[in-house]
Coordinates of all heavy atoms in Angstrom, one line a residue:
M28 N 14.8 1.5 -11.4 CA 14.7 0.7 -10.2 C 13.9 -0.6 -10.6 O 12.8 -0.4 -11.2 CB 14.1 1.4 -9.0 CG 14.5 0.8 -7.7 SD 14.0 1.7 -6.2 CE 13.5 3.2 -6.6
S29 N 14.2 -1.9 -10.1 CA 13.4 -2.9 -10.5 C 12.0 -2.8 -9.7 O 11.9 -2.2 -8.6 CB 14.0 -4.3 -10.0 OG 14.0 -4.4 -8.7
K30 N 11.0 -3.5 -10.2 CA 9.7 -3.5 -9.6 C 9.6 -4.1 -8.2 O 8.9 -3.6 -7.3 CB 8.8 -4.3 -10.6 CG 7.2 -4.4 -10.2 CD 6.8 -3.0 -10.4 CE 5.2 -3.1 -10.1 NZ 4.6 -1.8 -9.9
L31 N 10.5 -5.0 -8.0 CA 10.6 -5.8 -6.7 C 11.1 -4.7 -5.6 O 10.6 -4.5 -4.4 CB 11.3 -7.0 -6.6 CG 10.8 -8.2 -7.3 CD1 11.8 -9.3 -7.4 CD2 9.5 -8.7 -6.6
L32 N 12.2 -4.0 -6.0 CA 12.8 -3.1 -5.2 C 11.9 -1.9 -4.9 O 11.8 -1.4 -3.9 CB 14.2 -2.6 -5.8 CG 15.0 -1.7 -4.9 CD1 15.3 -2.3 -3.5 CD2 16.3 -1.4 -5.7
D33 N 11.2 -1.6 -6.0 CA 10.3 -0.4 -5.9 C 9.2 -0.6 -4.9 O 8.7 0.2 -4.1 CB 9.7 -0.1 -7.3 CG 8.9 1.2 -7.4 OD1 9.4 2.3 -6.7 OD2 7.9 1.3 -7.9
N34 N 8.7 -1.9 -4.9 CA 7.6 -2.4 -4.1 C 8.1 -2.3 -2.6 O 7.4 -1.9 -1.8 CB 7.1 -3.7 -4.5 CG 6.2 -3.7 -5.7 OD1 5.9 -2.7 -6.1 ND2 6.1 -4.8 -6.2
V35 N 9.3 -2.9 -2.4 CA 9.9 -2.9 -1.0 C 10.0 -1.5 -0.4 O 9.7 -1.2 0.6 CB 11.2 -3.7 -0.9 CG1 11.8 -3.5 0.4 CG2 10.8 -5.2 -1.2
C36 N 10.6 -0.7 -1.4 CA 10.8 0.7 -1.0 C 9.5 1.5 -0.6 O 9.4 2.2 0.3 CB 11.6 1.5 -2.0 SG 13.4 1.0 -2.1
S37 N 8.4 1.3 -1.5 CA 7.1 1.8 -1.2 C 6.6 1.4 0.2 O 6.0 2.2 0.8 CB 6.2 1.4 -2.3 OG 6.7 2.0 -3.5
E38 N 6.9 0.2 0.5 CA 6.2 -0.3 1.8 C 7.0 0.3 2.9 O 6.5 0.6 4.0 CB 6.2 -1.9 1.8 CG 5.3 -2.6 0.9 CD 3.8 -2.1 1.0 OE1 3.5 -2.0 2.3 OE2 3.2 -2.0 0.0
L39 N 8.3 0.3 2.8 CA 9.0 1.0 3.8 C 8.9 2.4 4.1 O 8.9 2.9 5.2 CB 10.7 0.7 3.6 CG 11.1 -0.8 3.7 CD1 12.6 -0.9 3.2 CD2 11.1 -1.2 5.2
Q40 N 8.6 3.0 3.0 CA 8.2 4.5 3.1 C 6.9 4.8 3.9 O 6.6 5.8 4.2 CB 8.1 5.1 1.7 CG 9.5 5.2 1.1 CD 9.3 5.9 -0.4 OE1 8.9 7.0 -0.4 NE2 9.7 5.1 -1.3
R41 N 6.1 3.8 4.0 CA 4.9 4.0 4.8 C 5.2 4.1 6.4 O 4.4 4.8 7.1 CB 3.9 2.6 4.7 CG 3.3 2.5 3.4 CD 2.6 1.3 3.5 NE 1.8 1.1 2.2 CZ 0.8 0.3 2.1 NH1 0.3 -0.3 3.1 NH2 0.2 0.3 0.9
L42 N 6.4 3.8 6.8 CA 6.8 3.9 8.1 C 7.2 5.5 8.5 O 7.7 6.1 7.5 CB 8.1 3.1 8.5 CG 7.8 1.7 8.3 CD1 9.2 0.9 8.4 CD2 6.9 1.3 9.5
P43 N 6.8 5.9 9.6 CA 7.1 7.4 9.8 C 8.5 7.7 9.7 O 9.3 7.0 10.4 CB 6.4 7.7 11.2 CG 6.3 6.2 11.8 CD 6.3 5.3 10.7
G44 N 8.9 8.8 9.2 CA 10.3 9.3 9.2 C 11.1 8.7 8.0 O 12.3 8.8 7.9
I45 N 10.6 7.7 7.2 CA 11.4 6.8 6.2 C 10.9 7.6 4.9 O 9.8 7.4 4.4 CB 11.0 5.5 6.2 CG1 11.2 4.8 7.7 CG2 11.8 4.7 5.2 CD1 12.6 4.8 8.0
G46 N 11.9 8.2 4.3 CA 11.8 8.7 2.9 C 12.3 7.7 1.9 O 12.6 6.7 2.2
R47 N 12.3 8.2 0.7 CA 12.7 7.4 -0.4 C 14.2 6.9 -0.3 O 14.4 5.7 -0.4 CB 12.6 8.2 -1.8 CG 12.8 7.3 -3.0 CD 12.4 8.1 -4.2 NE 12.3 7.3 -5.4 CZ 13.3 7.2 -6.2 NH1 14.4 8.0 -6.1 NH2 13.2 6.4 -7.3
R48 N 15.2 7.8 0.0 CA 16.4 7.4 0.2 C 16.7 6.4 1.3 O 17.5 5.4 1.2 CB 17.5 8.6 0.2 CG 17.6 9.4 -1.0 CD 18.7 10.5 -0.9 NE 18.3 11.3 0.3 CZ 19.2 12.2 0.6 NH1 20.2 12.5 0.0 NH2 18.9 13.0 1.8
T49 N 16.0 6.7 2.5 CA 16.2 5.8 3.6 C 15.6 4.4 3.2 O 16.2 3.4 3.6 CB 15.6 6.4 4.8 OG1 16.2 7.7 5.1 CG2 15.7 5.6 6.1
A50 N 14.5 4.5 2.6 CA 13.8 3.2 2.2 C 14.7 2.4 1.3 O 14.9 1.1 1.4 CB 12.5 3.4 1.5
L51 N 15.4 3.1 0.4 CA 16.3 2.3 -0.5 C 17.5 1.8 0.3 O 17.9 0.6 0.0 CB 16.7 3.2 -1.5 CG 17.8 2.8 -2.6 CD1 17.1 1.6 -3.3 CD2 18.1 3.8 -3.7
R52 N 18.0 2.6 1.2 CA 19.1 2.0 2.0 C 18.6 0.8 2.9 O 19.5 -0.2 2.9 CB 19.7 3.2 3.0 CG 20.5 4.2 2.3 CD 21.2 5.2 3.2 NE 21.3 6.4 2.6 CZ 20.7 7.5 3.0 NH1 19.8 7.5 4.0 NH2 21.0 8.6 2.3
L53 N 17.5 0.9 3.4 CA 17.1 -0.2 4.2 C 16.9 -1.4 3.4 O 17.2 -2.6 3.8 CB 15.7 0.1 4.9 CG 16.0 1.2 6.2 CD1 14.5 1.6 6.6 CD2 16.6 0.5 7.2
A54 N 16.2 -1.2 2.2 CA 16.0 -2.3 1.3 C 17.3 -3.0 0.9 O 17.5 -4.3 0.8 CB 15.3 -1.9 -0.1
M55 N 18.3 -2.2 0.6 CA 19.6 -2.8 0.2 C 20.3 -3.5 1.3 O 21.0 -4.5 1.2 CB 20.5 -1.6 -0.4 CG 20.1 -1.0 -1.5 SD 19.6 -2.1 -2.9 CE 21.2 -2.7 -3.3
H56 N 20.1 -2.9 2.6 CA 20.6 -3.6 3.7 C 20.0 -4.9 4.0 O 20.7 -6.0 4.4 CB 20.4 -2.7 5.0 CG 21.0 -3.3 6.3 ND1 22.3 -3.5 6.6 CD2 20.3 -4.0 7.2 CE1 22.4 -4.0 7.8 NE2 21.2 -4.4 8.2
I57 N 18.6 -5.0 3.8 CA 17.9 -6.2 3.8 C 18.5 -7.3 2.9 O 18.5 -8.5 3.2 CB 16.4 -6.1 3.8 CG1 15.8 -5.2 5.0 CG2 15.6 -7.3 3.5 CD1 14.5 -4.7 4.7
L58 N 18.8 -6.8 1.7 CA 19.3 -7.7 0.6 C 20.7 -8.5 1.3 O 20.9 -9.6 0.8 CB 19.5 -7.1 -0.6 CG 18.2 -6.9 -1.5 CD1 18.7 -6.1 -2.8 CD2 17.7 -8.3 -1.9
K59 N 21.4 -7.7 1.9 CA 22.7 -8.2 2.3 C 22.6 -9.0 3.5 O 23.5 -9.7 3.9 CB 23.7 -7.0 2.6 CG 24.1 -6.1 1.3 CD 24.8 -4.9 1.8 CE 25.0 -4.2 0.6 NZ 25.8 -2.7 0.9
M60 N 21.4 -8.9 4.3 CA 21.3 -9.8 5.5 C 21.1 -11.2 5.1 O 20.6 -11.6 4.1 CB 20.0 -9.3 6.3 CG 20.2 -7.9 6.8 SD 18.7 -7.2 7.5 CE 18.3 -8.3 8.9
E61 N 21.4 -12.1 6.1 CA 21.2 -13.5 5.9 C 19.7 -13.8 5.9 O 19.0 -13.2 6.6 CB 21.8 -14.2 7.2 CG 23.3 -14.3 7.3 CD 24.0 -15.1 6.1 OE1 23.5 -16.0 5.8 OE2 24.9 -14.8 5.7
P62 N 19.2 -14.7 5.1 CA 17.8 -15.1 5.0 C 17.2 -15.4 6.3 O 16.0 -15.0 6.5 CB 17.8 -16.2 3.9 CG 19.1 -16.1 3.1 CD 20.1 -15.5 4.2
A63 N 18.0 -16.1 7.1 CA 17.3 -16.4 8.4 C 16.9 -15.3 9.3 O 16.0 -15.1 10.0 CB 18.2 -17.3 9.2
V64 N 17.8 -14.3 9.2 CA 17.7 -13.0 10.0 C 16.5 -12.2 9.4 O 15.7 -11.7 10.2 CB 19.1 -12.2 10.0 CG1 18.7 -10.8 10.6 CG2 20.2 -12.9 10.6
V65 N 16.4 -12.2 8.1 CA 15.3 -11.4 7.5 C 13.9 -12.1 7.9 O 13.0 -11.5 8.2 CB 15.5 -11.5 5.9 CG1 14.2 -10.8 5.3 CG2 16.6 -10.6 5.6
D66 N 13.9 -13.4 7.8 CA 12.9 -14.2 8.2 C 12.4 -13.9 9.6 O 11.2 -13.7 9.9 CB 13.0 -15.7 7.9 CG 13.0 -16.1 6.6 OD1 12.6 -15.3 5.7 OD2 13.4 -17.3 6.2
S67 N 13.4 -13.9 10.5 CA 13.2 -13.6 12.0 C 12.6 -12.2 12.1 O 11.6 -12.0 12.9 CB 14.4 -13.8 12.6 OG 14.2 -13.5 14.1
L68 N 13.2 -11.2 11.4 CA 12.7 -9.8 11.5 C 11.2 -9.7 11.0 O 10.4 -9.2 11.8 CB 13.6 -9.0 10.6 CG 13.2 -7.5 10.6 CD1 13.2 -6.8 11.9 CD2 14.0 -6.8 9.5
S69 N 10.9 -10.4 9.9 CA 9.6 -10.2 9.4 C 8.6 -11.0 10.3 O 7.5 -10.4 10.5 CB 9.5 -10.7 7.9 OG 9.9 -12.0 7.9
S70 N 8.9 -12.1 10.9 CA 8.0 -12.9 11.6 C 7.8 -12.1 13.0 O 6.7 -12.0 13.6 CB 8.4 -14.3 11.9 OG 9.6 -14.4 12.6
S71 N 8.8 -11.4 13.4 CA 8.8 -10.7 14.7 C 7.8 -9.5 14.6 O 7.0 -9.2 15.5 CB 10.2 -10.1 15.2 OG 10.9 -11.2 15.5
I72 N 7.9 -8.9 13.4 CA 7.0 -7.7 13.1 C 5.6 -8.2 13.1 O 4.6 -7.6 13.7 CB 7.4 -7.0 11.9 CG1 8.8 -6.3 12.1 CG2 6.3 -5.9 11.5 CD1 9.4 -5.7 10.8
A73 N 5.3 -9.3 12.3 CA 4.0 -9.8 12.2 C 3.4 -10.3 13.6 O 2.2 -10.1 13.9 CB 4.0 -11.0 11.2
R74 N 4.3 -11.0 14.3 CA 3.9 -11.5 15.6 C 3.5 -10.5 16.6 O 2.5 -10.3 17.2 CB 4.9 -12.4 16.3 CG 4.4 -13.2 17.5 CD 5.5 -14.2 17.9 NE 6.8 -13.8 17.8 CZ 7.9 -14.2 17.0 NH1 7.5 -14.9 15.9 NH2 9.0 -13.6 17.0
F75 N 4.3 -9.3 16.6 CA 4.2 -8.1 17.4 C 2.8 -7.4 17.0 O 2.0 -7.2 17.9 CB 5.3 -7.1 17.1 CG 5.1 -5.7 17.7 CD1 5.1 -5.6 19.2 CD2 4.7 -4.7 16.9 CE1 4.8 -4.3 19.7 CE2 4.5 -3.4 17.4 CZ 4.5 -3.2 18.9
R76 N 2.6 -7.3 15.7 CA 1.3 -6.7 15.3 C 0.1 -7.5 15.7 O -0.9 -7.0 16.2 CB 1.3 -6.4 13.8 CG 0.1 -5.9 13.2 CD -0.1 -4.4 13.4 NE -1.3 -4.0 12.7 CZ -2.4 -3.4 13.2 NH1 -2.3 -3.1 14.4 NH2 -3.3 -3.1 12.4
H77 N 0.2 -8.8 15.5 CA -0.9 -9.6 15.9 C -1.2 -9.7 17.4 O -2.4 -9.6 17.8 CB -0.7 -11.1 15.3 CG -1.7 -12.1 15.7 ND1 -1.6 -12.8 16.9 CD2 -2.9 -12.4 15.2 CE1 -2.7 -13.6 17.0 NE2 -3.5 -13.5 16.0
D78 N -0.1 -9.8 18.1 CA -0.3 -9.9 19.6 C -0.8 -8.6 20.2 O -1.8 -8.7 21.0 CB 1.0 -10.2 20.3 CG 1.4 -11.6 20.0 OD1 0.6 -12.4 19.4 OD2 2.6 -12.1 20.4
V79 N -0.5 -7.4 19.6 CA -0.8 -6.1 20.1 C -2.4 -6.0 19.8 O -3.2 -5.6 20.6 CB -0.1 -5.0 19.6 CG1 -0.9 -3.6 19.9 CG2 1.4 -5.1 20.3
V80 N -2.7 -6.2 18.6 CA -4.2 -6.1 18.0 C -5.0 -7.1 19.0 O -6.1 -6.7 19.4 CB -4.3 -6.4 16.6 CG1 -5.7 -6.5 16.3 CG2 -3.6 -5.3 15.8
S81 N -4.5 -8.4 19.1 CA -5.3 -9.4 19.9 C -5.5 -8.9 21.3 O -6.6 -9.0 21.9 CB -4.6 -10.7 19.9 OG -4.6 -11.2 18.6
K82 N -4.5 -8.2 22.0 CA -4.7 -7.8 23.3 C -5.6 -6.6 23.4 O -6.4 -6.6 24.2 CB -3.3 -7.3 23.9 CG -3.3 -6.9 25.3 CD -1.9 -6.7 25.7 CE -2.0 -6.4 27.3 NZ -0.6 -6.1 27.8
K83 N -5.5 -5.7 22.3 CA -6.6 -4.6 22.3 C -8.0 -5.1 22.3 O -8.8 -4.6 22.9 CB -6.2 -3.7 21.2 CG -5.0 -2.8 21.5 CD -4.9 -1.8 20.3 CE -3.7 -0.9 20.6 NZ -3.4 -0.1 19.4
V84 N -8.2 -6.1 21.4 CA -9.5 -6.7 21.2 C -10.0 -7.3 22.5 O -11.1 -7.2 22.9 CB -9.5 -7.7 20.0 CG1 -10.7 -8.5 20.0 CG2 -9.4 -7.0 18.7
R85 N -9.0 -8.0 23.2 CA -9.5 -8.7 24.3 C -9.8 -7.6 25.5 O -10.8 -7.8 26.2 CB -8.3 -9.7 25.0 CG -8.2 -10.8 24.2 CD -7.2 -11.9 25.0 NE -6.0 -11.5 25.3 CZ -4.9 -11.5 24.5 NH1 -5.0 -12.1 23.2 NH2 -3.8 -11.0 24.8
I86 N -9.1 -6.5 25.6 CA -9.4 -5.6 26.5 C -10.7 -4.8 26.2 O -11.5 -4.7 27.1 CB -8.2 -4.5 26.5 CG1 -7.0 -5.1 27.2 CG2 -8.7 -3.2 27.2 CD1 -5.7 -4.3 27.1
L87 N -10.9 -4.6 24.9 CA -12.2 -3.9 24.5 C -13.4 -4.9 24.9 O -14.4 -4.5 25.4 CB -12.2 -3.7 23.1 CG -11.4 -2.5 22.6 CD1 -11.5 -2.4 21.1 CD2 -12.1 -1.2 23.2
L88 N -13.3 -6.3 24.6 CA -14.3 -7.2 25.1 C -14.5 -7.2 26.4 O -15.6 -7.2 26.9 CB -14.0 -8.6 24.4 CG -14.1 -8.8 23.0 CD1 -13.5 -10.2 22.5 CD2 -15.5 -8.5 22.4
L89 N -13.4 -7.2 27.2 CA -13.6 -7.2 28.8 C -14.3 -5.8 29.2 O -15.1 -5.9 30.2 CB -12.3 -7.3 29.4 CG -11.6 -8.6 29.4 CD1 -10.1 -8.5 30.0 CD2 -12.3 -9.6 30.1
L90 N -14.0 -4.7 28.5 CA -14.7 -3.5 28.9 C -16.2 -3.5 28.4 O -17.0 -2.9 29.1 CB -13.9 -2.2 28.3 CG -12.6 -2.0 29.0 CD1 -11.9 -0.9 28.2 CD2 -12.8 -1.7 30.4
I91 N -16.4 -3.9 27.2 CA -17.7 -3.9 26.6 C -18.7 -4.8 27.4 O -19.9 -4.4 27.6 CB -17.7 -4.2 25.1 CG1 -17.0 -2.9 24.5 CG2 -19.1 -4.4 24.5 CD1 -16.7 -3.2 22.9
S92 N -18.3 -6.0 27.7 CA -19.2 -7.0 28.3 C -19.9 -6.5 29.5 O -21.1 -6.6 29.7 CB -18.4 -8.2 28.6 OG -18.0 -8.8 27.4
P93 N -19.1 -5.8 30.5 CA -20.0 -5.4 31.7 C -20.8 -4.1 31.2 O -21.9 -4.0 31.8 CB -18.9 -4.8 32.6 CG -17.6 -5.6 32.2 CD -17.8 -5.8 30.7
L94 N -20.5 -3.4 30.3 CA -21.3 -2.2 29.9 C -22.5 -2.9 29.2 O -23.7 -2.2 29.5 CB -20.5 -1.3 29.0 CG -19.4 -0.5 29.6 CD1 -18.7 0.3 28.4 CD2 -19.9 0.5 30.6
M95 N -22.4 -3.8 28.4 CA -23.7 -4.3 27.8 C -24.5 -5.0 28.9 O -25.8 -4.8 28.8 CB -23.2 -5.5 26.9 CG -22.5 -4.9 25.6 SD -23.5 -3.7 24.8 CE -24.8 -4.5 24.0
L96 N -24.0 -5.6 29.9 CA -24.9 -6.1 31.0 C -25.6 -5.0 31.6 O -26.8 -5.1 32.0 CB -24.0 -6.8 32.0 CG -23.4 -8.2 31.6 CD1 -22.6 -8.8 32.5 CD2 -24.7 -9.2 31.3
I97 N -25.0 -3.9 31.9 CA -25.6 -2.7 32.5 C -26.7 -2.2 31.6 O -27.8 -1.9 32.1 CB -24.6 -1.6 32.8 CG1 -23.7 -2.2 33.9 CG2 -25.4 -0.3 33.3 CD1 -22.5 -1.2 34.2
V98 N -26.4 -2.1 30.3 CA -27.4 -1.6 29.3 C -28.6 -2.6 29.4 O -29.9 -2.1 29.4 CB -26.8 -1.5 27.8 CG1 -27.9 -1.2 26.8 CG2 -25.9 -0.4 27.9
Y99 N -28.3 -3.9 29.2 CA -29.5 -4.8 29.3 C -30.3 -4.7 30.5 O -31.6 -4.9 30.5 CB -29.0 -6.2 29.0 CG -28.5 -6.5 27.5 CD1 -27.3 -7.3 27.5 CD2 -29.3 -6.0 26.5 CE1 -26.8 -7.5 26.1 CE2 -28.8 -6.3 25.2 CZ -27.6 -7.1 25.1 OH -27.2 -7.2 23.8
F100 N -29.6 -4.4 31.6 CA -30.4 -4.4 32.9 C -31.3 -3.2 32.8 O -32.4 -3.1 33.4 CB -29.4 -4.3 34.1 CG -29.9 -4.3 35.4 CD1 -30.6 -5.4 36.0 CD2 -29.8 -3.2 36.1 CE1 -31.3 -5.4 37.1 CE2 -30.5 -3.1 37.5 CZ -31.2 -4.2 37.9
I101 N -30.7 -2.0 32.4 CA -31.5 -0.8 32.5 C -32.7 -1.0 31.4 O -33.8 -0.6 31.8 CB -30.6 0.4 31.9 CG1 -29.5 0.7 33.0 CG2 -31.4 1.7 31.6 CD1 -28.5 1.6 32.7
I102 N -32.5 -1.6 30.2 CA -33.6 -1.8 29.4 C -34.7 -2.7 30.1 O -35.9 -2.4 29.9 CB -33.1 -2.4 28.1 CG1 -32.3 -1.4 27.4 CG2 -34.2 -3.0 27.3 CD1 -31.5 -1.9 26.1
F103 N -34.2 -3.7 30.8 CA -35.1 -4.5 31.5 C -35.9 -3.8 32.5 O -37.2 -3.8 32.6 CB -34.3 -5.7 32.2 CG -35.2 -6.6 33.0 CD1 -36.0 -7.5 32.4 CD2 -35.1 -6.4 34.3 CE1 -36.7 -8.3 33.3 CE2 -35.8 -7.3 35.2 CZ -36.7 -8.1 34.7
L104 N -35.2 -2.9 33.3 CA -35.9 -2.1 34.2 C -36.9 -1.2 33.6 O -38.1 -1.0 34.2 CB -34.9 -1.4 35.2 CG -34.0 -2.2 36.1 CD1 -33.1 -1.3 36.8 CD2 -35.0 -2.9 37.1
L105 N -36.5 -0.6 32.4 CA -37.4 0.3 31.8 C -38.7 -0.4 31.3 O -39.7 0.3 31.1 CB -36.7 1.1 30.7 CG -35.6 2.0 31.2 CD1 -34.8 2.6 30.0 CD2 -36.2 3.2 32.0
A106 N -38.6 -1.7 31.0 CA -39.6 -2.3 30.3 C -40.6 -2.9 31.4 O -41.8 -3.2 31.1 CB -39.1 -3.7 29.6
L107 N -40.2 -2.7 32.7 CA -41.2 -3.2 33.7 C -42.2 -2.1 33.9 O -42.8 -1.3 33.9 CB -40.5 -3.3 35.1 CG -39.5 -4.5 35.2 CD1 -38.8 -4.6 36.6 CD2 -40.3 -5.8 35.0

């Protein structure tokens, strides 16, 4: 197997339920796809990952901010 194909298969095998043969089948299918479709697929995956992580960070910040205010208030009260 070529180094490029081996690298793609290794990356695809990181997905749950994807073994060596399935990864090879997917890689070969990707080779047969139109370049624009492959670009669209890869950008959709990257955008999905970025947007989900960004949303989780925003939610965490929204949750942490009020908690930090409460902690600072308690520390202030204890200092009195």
Side-chain angles (χ1 to χ4, degrees):
M28 208 176 340
S29 78
K30 184 70 173 164
L31 292 173
L32 184 57
D33 191 41
N34 288 344
V35 170
C36 288
S37 294
E38 294 301 321
L39 289 170
Q40 287 179 61
R41 291 180 175 201
L42 296 169
I45 305 294
R47 188 169 191 262
R48 288 188 309 175
T49 302
L51 182 58
R52 283 190 208 108
L53 288 171
M55 297 309 291
H56 180 73
I57 290 169
L58 277 177
K59 294 175 186 175
M60 294 169 65
E61 292 291 323
V64 176
V65 175
D66 290 343
S67 176
L68 174 64
S69 63
S70 66
S71 292
I72 292 169
R74 191 170 45 253
F75 169 72
R76 173 79 174 125
H77 176 268
D78 290 352
V79 168
V80 169
S81 295
K82 186 173 183 178
K83 284 182 181 178
V84 168
R85 286 194 304 267
I86 289 170
L87 283 174
L88 288 174
L89 287 172
L90 292 174
I91 290 172
S92 295
L94 290 174
M95 291 306 294
L96 287 173
I97 293 169
V98 168
Y99 288 137
F100 183 70
I101 290 172
I102 291 171
F103 174 76
L104 289 177
L105 292 174
L107 293 177

